[in-house]
Amino acid sequence: MTDLVDLQAPAPARRTPRSLTLSVGLVLVGLHLFVALLTLFWTPYDPTAMTGGRLEPPSWAHWAGTDRLGRDLFTQIMIGSRIALTVGAGAVAIAAAIGVTLGVLAAFATRTLDDVLAATFDILIAFPTLLLAMLVVAATDTASLFSAILALGIAISAIVARLTRILAKRVLAMDYITAARTAGSSWPSIVFRHVLPNIWPTLSVNFALQFGIAIIAEASLSYLGLGAPPPNASWGRLLQEAQGTVYTAPFGAVAPGIALVSLVIGMNLLADGLRDVGDPTRRRSR
Amino acid sequence: MSLLRIENLTIRTGGQALVKDMSLVIEPGARVGLIGESGSGKSLTALAAIGLLPPGLKPEGSILLDGVQVIGASEEKLKALRGRTAAFVFQEPLTALDPLMKIGRQVAEPIARRHRRDGRSAGRQEIVAEVRHYLERVALPDIDRIMNAYPFQISGGQRQRVAIAMALACRPKLLIADEPTTALDVTTQAEILELLSTLVREEGMALLFISHDLPVVAKVAEEVTVLRRGQVVEQGPVRSVFGSPQHEYTKMLVDAAAAFDRALGAQQ
Ligand SMILES: Nc1ncnc2c1ncn2[C@@H]1O[C@H](COP(=O)(O)OP(=O)(O)OP(=O)(O)O)[C@@H](O)[C@H]1O
Ligand SMILES: [Mg+2]
């Protein structure tokens, strides 16, 4: 369908916003990535040191003001970028490893096993991500950055598995798979040469979306005190700490909020832009 | 020894028989047509011959492919049989090629697999040379461009030629072509038929040609099996089956083809 549309009209009107989407997404995510890497070597202040008065408004010395202990907020938000990206990447990597494996397995499985797996995915998905993550955190005893990553990874893996299963089944029904099988291809060769490359464009878009979801979920976990413990300055914890003083010092909540939203929007725009990159039939029209 | 010997094949799903008591023999180098209306079980018969029926469909009877019993055979045994004994060309050339893989790589795949099976590792150069050879064999123009093109970048007729090249590259003893020209326009159809007949003869392969189109089958096959609702209604040399059809359904097919010819004649 889209093919036809693309063939009939070069549609310059559509081309511009599409590449704009990708660029804006790349800039936003790139900015956060840069900041995250920067914090490994340098931050404006020591994140744990009292460097100013309490709850100072933004100034030249403290771009995002200070928190109730007088620590520099901008420094903490920068470190928050690193934590958000770590959590997003870690959770998506875990979700991809588990989800893609199980999804492909289900697509290839016998009827019964496939039904069982599909039902499991559906039940896991019906569970709210946050609740599932809370259970995993509870099961690992102490809340740590790693337990948050693991929890979100497992929660998201069900979504990835279900999507993978559906996509892989669609590919497996194609003639070129039958053709490969009639010519004597083995299952591993079919998975790696045909199935994965063909579901990758859609999967990668989903990964970028899940990345954004993981970041929000981590912020929620931290907000509830189930995320990375201090001194990890997760945006969720910053938001939670700013809650009590939101009327007197609103910037304490606004600044981490802006950081969170900009990264999630960036990820979503990137996801949209990515849609075209993995697909040669679409690449042509740009 | 016959290349393919199907005896009393019945394919069931649930309680229903999709193919009933079907028998078909293909000798090495023979060109056999399988004709029948849509849904008569042509594709199922062909898939059953290499043990690739969709899940849920159960074959009964006997299928000897190159002397090996296909029904009940292990996947390992079948895999060894597929490709080197029988290769497929499908109806829809667009879906028969991986949309995200360049043509050159797709044709290289069966070639590399054949070399692996024969226990010798072929270098990249050697495989590329063979890819070119097979693309030339199916008379594709502009091979350099086509090798680097994705399936959507070449025409339907060219795609079907690529699919044929991929089947040839397996060097099978039997080429199974399942309505390979149905999706093509008349001129391209004629070209592909011509190509298939020539190739099969030159490479000494047997051909199982599936179609619902009588003139097309008459053009490429020496023997024909007429299938109706999963049952063989007539079988024999093309000349005698189409020359003096016995069964109602075959008569109808022949009449329809003749009526078409007459209409064409009257126009000229
Ligand atoms: N996976 C399946 N499960 C159940 N029934 C099937 C399945 N595949 C095919 N059938 C049925 O088996 C019958 C024969 O199908 P087949 O594909 O062999 O027909 P065909 O002769 O090749 O038709 P066409 O000319 O349209 O390709 C049809 O009635 C079809 O609905
Ligand atoms: Mg068919």
Side-chain angles (χ1 to χ4, degrees):
Chain A
M1 288 298 280
T2 47
D3 248 356
L4 271 181
V5 174
D6 280 346
L7 276 177
Q8 284 162 357
R14 270 179 60 199
R15 216 181 300 164
T16 327
R18 218 194 258 162
S19 50
L20 191 69
T21 305
L22 187 65
S23 323
V24 175
L26 278 174
V27 166
L28 284 176
V29 174
L31 195 68
H32 277 278
L33 191 64
F34 172 75
V35 169
L37 291 174
L38 185 65
T39 60
L40 292 175
F41 309 103
W42 177 83
T43 49
Y45 295 94
D46 178 348
T48 55
M50 288 171 55
T51 53
R54 296 176 176 197
L55 298 174
E56 273 181 23
S59 64
W60 277 116
H62 302 286
W63 288 9
T66 57
D67 68 5
R68 61 200 158 91
L69 296 177
R71 298 174 298 197
D72 182 49
L73 254 180
F74 197 76
T75 301
Q76 298 190 56
I77 289 169
M78 283 172 69
I79 293 173
S81 275
R82 189 175 80 209
I83 291 173
L85 287 173
T86 311
V87 169
V92 167
I94 291 174
I98 301 176
V100 173
T101 312
L102 286 182
V104 168
L105 208 68
F108 275 90
T110 55
R111 242 292 187 25
T112 341
L113 180 57
D114 179 33
D115 285 349
V116 170
L117 283 171
T120 314
F121 302 155
D122 285 342
I123 292 169
L124 281 176
I125 289 167
F127 249 71
T129 306
L130 212 54
L131 188 61
L132 205 62
M134 282 164 71
L135 286 176
V136 176
V137 170
T140 51
D141 253 13
T142 53
S144 69
L145 190 60
F146 180 71
S147 70
I149 292 174
L150 188 68
L152 294 172
I154 291 174
I156 294 172
S157 67
I159 300 170
V160 174
R162 182 167 72 169
L163 180 68
T164 304
R165 173 178 168 271
I166 294 168
L167 293 173
K169 282 209 154 198
R170 206 162 59 194
V171 172
L172 286 177
M174 303 296 284
D175 278 349
Y176 59 85
I177 299 293
T178 317
R181 293 196 66 197
T182 59
S185 273
S186 60
W187 283 122
S189 137
I190 286 177
V191 170
F192 289 107
R193 276 167 216 251
H194 298 294
V195 177
L196 291 181
N198 273 287
I199 66 178
W200 179 249
T202 316
L203 270 189
S204 60
V205 171
N206 191 257
F207 289 162
L209 289 175
Q210 299 301 338
F211 202 115
I213 289 171
I215 289 168
I216 293 180
E218 191 277 333
S220 315
L221 277 180
S222 292
Y223 186 86
L224 296 171
L226 292 166
N232 289 310
S234 159
W235 293 332
R237 196 169 58 76
L238 296 182
L239 282 170
Q240 193 249 329
E241 282 173 2
Q243 191 186 21
T245 54
V246 73
Y247 294 111
T248 46
F251 214 69
V254 171
I258 289 175
L260 179 66
V261 168
S262 66
L263 180 52
V264 172
I265 287 181
M267 271 297 163
N268 288 353
L269 291 177
L270 195 64
D272 248 9
L274 267 180
R275 233 177 274 270
D276 311 328
V277 178
D279 187 347
T281 58
R282 291 201 183 207
R283 234 186 280 154
R284 164 198 47 171
S285 62
R286 348 183 74 221
Chain B
M1 186 178 64
S2 308
L3 189 53
L4 176 66
R5 176 174 291 273
I6 300 179
E7 274 168 351
N8 307 320
L9 172 70
T10 299
I11 300 173
R12 279 183 215 283
T13 173
Q16 194 193 356
L18 299 171
V19 171
K20 280 183 288 268
D21 211 21
M22 135 96 164
S23 296
L24 174 72
V25 176
I26 301 180
E27 299 298 331
R31 281 170 286 134
V32 176
L34 184 57
I35 191 168
E37 62 195 357
S38 183
S40 56
K42 306 182 295 291
S43 299
L44 289 186
T45 304
L47 287 172
I50 53 162
L52 262 184
L53 280 176
L57 301 192
K58 289 268 170 301
E60 292 160 22
S62 161
I63 300 172
L64 284 176
L65 180 58
D66 209 19
V68 179
Q69 179 56 253
V70 170
I71 295 180
S74 70
E75 185 67 21
E76 277 314 299
K77 207 166 177 185
L78 288 173
K79 220 161 58 193
L81 212 56
R82 291 175 194 145
R84 75 171 38 179
T85 313
F88 258 82
V89 177
F90 289 95
Q91 172 173 349
E92 188 49 68
L94 184 57
T95 56
L97 299 176
D98 187 332
L100 297 189
M101 205 189 266
K102 287 183 177 171
I103 302 294
R105 271 198 62 200
Q106 302 208 37
V107 182
E109 225 175 280
I111 295 173
R113 190 163 45 236
R114 173 158 51 75
H115 286 306
R116 270 199 309 277
R117 282 176 163 187
D118 294 344
R120 52 186 295 269
S121 60
R124 204 190 125 74
Q125 296 285 315
E126 198 181 335
I127 290 183
V128 170
E130 254 193 86
V131 170
R132 292 181 155 280
H133 165 78
Y134 283 108
L135 291 179
E136 273 163 22
R137 212 64 192 86
V138 295
L140 274 167
D142 208 354
I143 288 178
D144 284 308
R145 182 182 79 83
I146 287 184
M147 276 175 70
N148 274 309
Y150 288 99
F152 72 87
Q153 291 168 322
I154 62 177
S155 76
Q158 289 172 337
R159 276 179 217 137
Q160 197 57 294
R161 283 171 197 269
V162 170
I164 294 172
M166 285 173 68
L168 285 185
C170 296
R171 294 217 190 126
K173 293 178 190 166
L174 170 65
L175 186 68
I176 301 176
D178 191 351
E179 311 205 32
T181 59
T182 311
L184 305 174
D185 67 75
V186 185
T187 335
T188 320
Q189 201 171 11
E191 285 169 15
I192 296 281
L193 286 179
E194 185 64 41
L195 176 74
L196 266 178
S197 316
T198 322
L199 286 172
V200 165
R201 237 166 296 189
E202 287 178 5
E203 309 269 330
M205 291 181 292
L207 174 69
L208 175 59
F209 190 93
I210 299 173
S211 178
H212 54 250
D213 196 358
L214 185 139
V216 169
V217 170
K219 211 177 214 160
V220 293
E222 304 155 321
E223 293 160 55
V224 63
T225 295
V226 185
L227 210 56
R228 180 137 205 254
R229 299 199 185 127
Q231 278 180 304
V232 175
V233 295
E234 212 152 339
Q235 208 158 29
V238 167
R239 251 169 223 284
S240 60
V241 170
F242 292 157
S244 55
Q246 302 299 310
H247 192 274
E248 281 306 313
Y249 176 63
T250 324
K251 277 184 192 149
M252 196 190 75
L253 278 178
V254 174
D255 284 348
F260 181 74
D261 281 348
R262 269 198 307 280
L264 213 60
Q267 289 231 315
Q268 282 163 356

